[in-house]
Amino acid sequence: MSDIWIMRIGHRPQRDKRVTTHVALSSRALGAKGIFVDTEDPVLEENIRSVVGRFGGDYTIETGVPWKRKIAEFPGKVVHLTMYGQRVDEAIPKIPRDEDILIVVGAEKVPPEVYQRADFNVSVGNQPHSEIAALAIFLDRFTGGSELYSDRHGRMTVVPNERGKTVVDASR
Ligand code: SAM
């Protein structure tokens, strides 16, 4: 499968720190290659890199990335998640698998230019909810669930356990 990238727009470091952190962590867990965040936020970068350092994989984060230029120049398809878009189940079969995709998620009101530039405006239900929920459902459906338990070869590995916690720390 080609690469999946996230573009987070409207990030306000104080107000959105938890939500944007969870957008990044959820997308990493569900198979994305990395995230671009429009507002510079070194703390956010450090937090995400710390998780990658412990749990593995090659997920990347870049902040202070101007979203207009990123969506204009992205060499693949731009998928904008919005409650106003076409139904996710109808959109997914139309999205090419041989090109990278850039998934745009907002924080507040998303400017009209995003709707116009997007190759696909996709809704995950037509009710207002959350960028984390929308992204997770979209990614799980787009990847057919294949990424959930893929091995990231990290220092820390969680072994599924019906009761309690089993974590293998390769450094010990
Ligand atoms: N009210 C804002 C607007 O009109 O653009 C959206 C705010 S919402 C809290 C933040 C983001 O969550 C949106 O930009 C969108 O990416 C995502 N989102 C929320 N509900 C969604 C839905 N039903 N389907 C797809 N994405 C959704």
Side-chain angles (χ1 to χ4, degrees):
M1 195 167 59
S2 46
D3 293 339
I4 301 169
W5 299 93
I6 313 300
M7 178 76 240
R8 167 69 156 157
I9 70 173
H11 170 70
R12 297 152 295 184
Q14 274 317 309
R15 205 173 149 174
D16 298 320
K17 62 182 168 193
R18 255 177 81 77
V19 177
T20 305
T21 299
H22 290 182
V23 164
L25 293 181
S26 304
S27 69
R28 171 184 173 271
L30 288 153
K33 282 288 283 183
I35 188 167
F36 305 106
V37 179
D38 58 351
T39 313
E40 196 177 333
D41 190 338
V43 177
L44 175 69
E45 291 190 10
E46 199 180 310
N47 290 342
I48 300 306
R49 287 185 189 128
S50 159
V51 173
V52 175
R54 282 175 288 138
F55 289 92
D58 55 2
Y59 188 90
T60 61
I61 178 164
E62 203 182 321
T63 71
V65 177
W67 64 264
K68 281 188 194 177
R69 194 185 312 154
K70 179 55 75 181
I71 67 172
E73 295 175 355
F74 184 74
K77 296 295 185 221
V78 173
V79 175
H80 170 218
L81 295 182
T82 162
M83 62 184 279
Y84 306 104
Q86 63 177 308
R87 295 170 74 129
V88 64
D89 290 336
E90 290 172 10
I92 280 181
K94 298 181 201 160
I95 301 174
R97 298 298 171 136
D98 56 353
E99 287 182 61
D100 291 353
I101 65 167
L102 180 69
I103 305 174
V104 182
V105 289
E108 283 193 305
K109 196 168 158 49
V110 172
E113 286 162 87
V114 177
Y115 292 80
Q116 286 147 19
R117 161 62 181 103
D119 297 292
F120 302 92
N121 287 292
V122 178
S123 63
V124 179
N126 295 122
Q127 303 298 321
H129 51 84
S130 142
E131 48 274 54
I132 304 166
L135 192 54
I137 291 172
F138 176 84
L139 286 173
D140 192 56
R141 293 195 180 186
F142 188 71
T143 61
S146 63
E147 301 303 311
L148 268 185
Y149 292 101
S150 68
D151 194 348
R152 309 297 156 86
H153 307 286
R155 177 164 63 76
M156 312 284 279
T157 304
V158 175
V159 181
N161 188 337
E162 276 189 43
R163 217 177 285 274
K165 305 176 184 176
T166 310
V167 183
V168 178
D169 183 343
S171 67
R172 290 190 179 173

